[in-house]
């Protein structure tokens, strides 16, 4: 029994001693943290207010080592979570070596962002140089690679309608000078029988790391109609014939296959077309005169010559 009591007394004394020791260490630690020290810390730099129309090409320094005077609590906080300092790029100056921020400028900016009771003792004497490049704007047309498969006797009425038809680029000359047009991703539809509308992204191959596009997506639409066909026999007209010559073509009438709406095809006649052959430009391989449909009526959507060239004979008047 006496042994158990003595053992309990020893355990209580040990706990009291441990608590006393812990209290002493804590008090000492708090006292030390309350004192003021000078110490080197690293600040993370965040560059703000980029000049309009300018691009920061190379990444400037991301951190800056400085020496500050602060109490232990503040220093501990900075060690655990480095402070971020905003560097205002409106303070940038331009010299013979380009754009720069002087040590005096960024020292002043750092001092304004330090908490009360913290003193800035020393900053590097190095100037921060910045590689700015003037931005350039450019407008280019949009093109759509198409893979359109229409159902039998259906076709596109006119061309594809793009919204917008152009995009504006803003970027460094080194990236946009070579861009004359941009393409979307392919438009692929099969078995088309009616009007369609799709939204397509700009092809990623035209993306540049420092160039902004006014549009990321292009709306593409098309009107579709059911067509009929008609063949119109049109006389061949020979042009650039010398005054003293007469010419006879074989054949002297050539069929023109026309595709369009039924109501438009019903009113067609040969006078609506002009089919010419240039006497001064015969085929170098066959000697035949090549045909060109110089005029056609507006109601016809698509035409195809059933003969592309004609034989001919000439005689003097």
């Amino acid at each position: 029994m006496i042994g158990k009591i003595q053992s309990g007394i020893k355990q209580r004394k040990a706990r009291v001693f441990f608590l006393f020791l812990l209290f002493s260490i804590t008090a000492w630690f708090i006292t030390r943290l309350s004192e003021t020290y000078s110490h080197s810390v690293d600040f993370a730099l965040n560059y703000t207010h980029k000049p309009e129309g300018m691009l920061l090409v190379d990444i400037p320094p991301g951190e800056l080592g400085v020496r500050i005077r602060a109490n232990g609590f503040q220093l501990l906080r900075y060690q655990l979570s480095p402070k971020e300092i905003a560097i205002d790029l409106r303070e940038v100056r331009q010299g013979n070596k380009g754009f720069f921020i002087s040590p005096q400028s960024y020292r002043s900016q750092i001092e304004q962002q330090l908490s009360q009771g913290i003193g800035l003792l020393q900053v590097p004497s190095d100037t921060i140089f910045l590689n700015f490049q003037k931005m350039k704007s450019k407008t280019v047309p949009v093109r759509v690679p198409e893979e359109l498969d229409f159902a039998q006797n259906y076709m596109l009425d006119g061309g594809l309608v793009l919204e917008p038809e152009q995009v504006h680029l803003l970027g460094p000359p080194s990236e946009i000078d070579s861009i004359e047009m941009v393409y979307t991703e392919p438009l692929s539809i099969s078995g088309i029988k009616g009007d369609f509308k799709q939204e397509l992204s700009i092809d990623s191959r035209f993306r540049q790391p420092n160039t902004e596009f006014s549009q990321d997506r292009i709306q593409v639409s098309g009107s579709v109609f059911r067509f009929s066909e008609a063949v119109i026999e049109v006389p061949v007209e020979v042009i650039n014939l010398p005054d003293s010559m007469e010419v006879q073509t074989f054949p002297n009438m050539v069929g023109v296959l026309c595709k369009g709406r039924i109501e438009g095809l019903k009113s067609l006649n040969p006078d609506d077309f002009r089919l010419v052959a240039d006497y001064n430009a015969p085929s170098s391989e066959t000697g035949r005169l090549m045909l060109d449909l110089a005029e056609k009526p507006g109601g016809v959507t698509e035409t195809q010559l059933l003969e592309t060239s004609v034989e001919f004979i000439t005689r003097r008047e």
Side-chain angles (χ1 to χ4, degrees):
M1 183 67 178
I2 296 176
K4 290 183 179 180
I5 294 174
Q6 290 177 340
S7 176
I9 293 173
K10 289 181 180 180
Q11 290 177 359
R12 284 195 295 271
K13 287 182 177 180
R15 283 198 296 269
V16 170
F17 176 77
F18 174 76
L19 291 174
F20 175 77
L21 182 60
L22 180 62
F23 176 78
S24 300
I25 293 173
T26 303
W28 176 85
F29 190 65
I30 292 175
T31 301
R32 293 299 301 271
L33 288 178
S34 300
E35 295 176 358
T36 300
Y37 303 91
S38 64
H39 199 274
S40 296
V41 296
D42 291 329
F43 287 154
L45 302 182
N46 177 28
Y47 297 87
T48 63
H49 300 107
K50 181 185 69 176
E52 188 174 353
M54 302 292 284
L55 173 69
L56 191 55
V57 180
D58 297 326
I59 300 176
E63 63 179 25
L64 188 70
V66 301
R67 193 166 186 83
I68 62 174
R69 182 181 63 250
N71 63 46
F73 289 105
Q74 293 167 321
L75 288 173
L76 181 61
R77 185 172 67 251
Y78 283 169
Q79 292 293 338
L80 296 176
S81 179
K83 183 175 179 58
E84 184 177 275
I85 297 293
I87 300 297
D88 193 337
L89 294 180
R90 289 175 295 190
E91 299 292 325
V92 166
R93 298 292 180 264
Q94 187 172 13
N96 295 332
K97 295 183 179 180
F99 297 91
F100 67 92
I101 299 177
S102 67
Q104 294 80 9
S105 175
Y106 63 74
R107 179 188 181 109
S108 174
Q109 295 190 49
I110 292 173
E111 286 179 328
Q112 294 173 16
Q113 298 175 62
L114 292 179
S115 303
Q116 187 175 4
I118 299 179
L120 182 61
L121 301 178
Q122 184 180 3
V123 298
S125 59
D126 297 333
T127 297
I128 297 178
F129 288 97
L130 302 159
N131 185 7
F132 279 111
Q133 192 171 94
K134 189 172 180 61
M135 301 282 271
K136 178 180 179 180
S137 62
K138 186 177 185 180
T139 301
V140 296
V142 179
R143 298 287 182 263
V144 178
E146 57 183 83
E147 300 172 4
L148 301 179
D149 175 42
F150 292 90
Q152 187 173 1
N153 291 342
Y154 285 87
M155 66 186 304
L156 194 63
D157 188 5
L160 294 174
V161 178
L162 278 60
E163 180 59 40
E165 296 180 342
Q166 299 175 319
V167 293
H168 306 290
L169 312 180
L170 179 64
S174 59
E175 289 187 359
I176 70 174
D177 278 351
S178 61
I179 301 177
E180 299 301 329
M181 64 184 67
V182 297
Y183 285 83
T184 67
E185 58 186 334
L187 174 66
S188 180
I189 312 176
S190 59
I192 304 173
K193 288 186 177 181
D195 298 349
F196 57 86
K197 180 185 294 186
Q198 284 194 15
E199 202 172 61
L200 302 174
S201 298
I202 299 293
D203 193 314
S204 60
R205 291 175 296 176
F206 291 88
R207 291 292 183 186
Q208 299 291 335
N210 301 304
T211 297
E212 298 176 3
F213 283 65
S214 61
Q215 294 285 139
D216 291 322
R217 299 181 68 81
I218 305 297
Q219 183 175 279
V220 183
S221 60
S223 296
V224 176
F225 71 97
R226 186 166 186 168
F227 68 86
S228 293
E229 296 180 340
V231 176
I232 307 298
E233 295 291 332
V234 180
V236 177
E237 175 189 349
V238 180
I239 60 175
N240 295 323
L241 187 67
D243 293 338
S244 60
M245 302 286 290
E246 287 185 353
V247 67
Q248 176 68 44
T249 64
F250 301 94
N252 62 351
M253 302 276 287
V254 170
V256 179
L257 176 63
C258 302
K259 295 182 180 181
R261 289 184 168 86
I262 296 176
E263 57 272 19
L265 297 180
K266 286 180 179 179
S267 61
L268 292 180
N269 64 74
D271 294 337
D272 296 327
F273 301 84
R274 185 176 179 225
L275 185 59
V276 300
D278 190 346
Y279 181 80
N280 289 335
S283 169
S284 59
E285 295 181 359
T286 65
R288 293 164 64 94
L289 297 182
M290 305 304 297
L291 296 175
D292 176 50
L293 189 61
E295 295 179 11
K296 66 177 182 179
V300 176
T301 305
E302 186 177 312
T303 59
Q304 179 183 342
L305 296 178
L306 300 185
E307 297 279 350
T308 58
S309 64
V310 291
E311 298 278 2
F312 69 98
I313 59 173
T314 57
R315 68 179 181 179
R316 295 189 178 277
E317 296 182 349

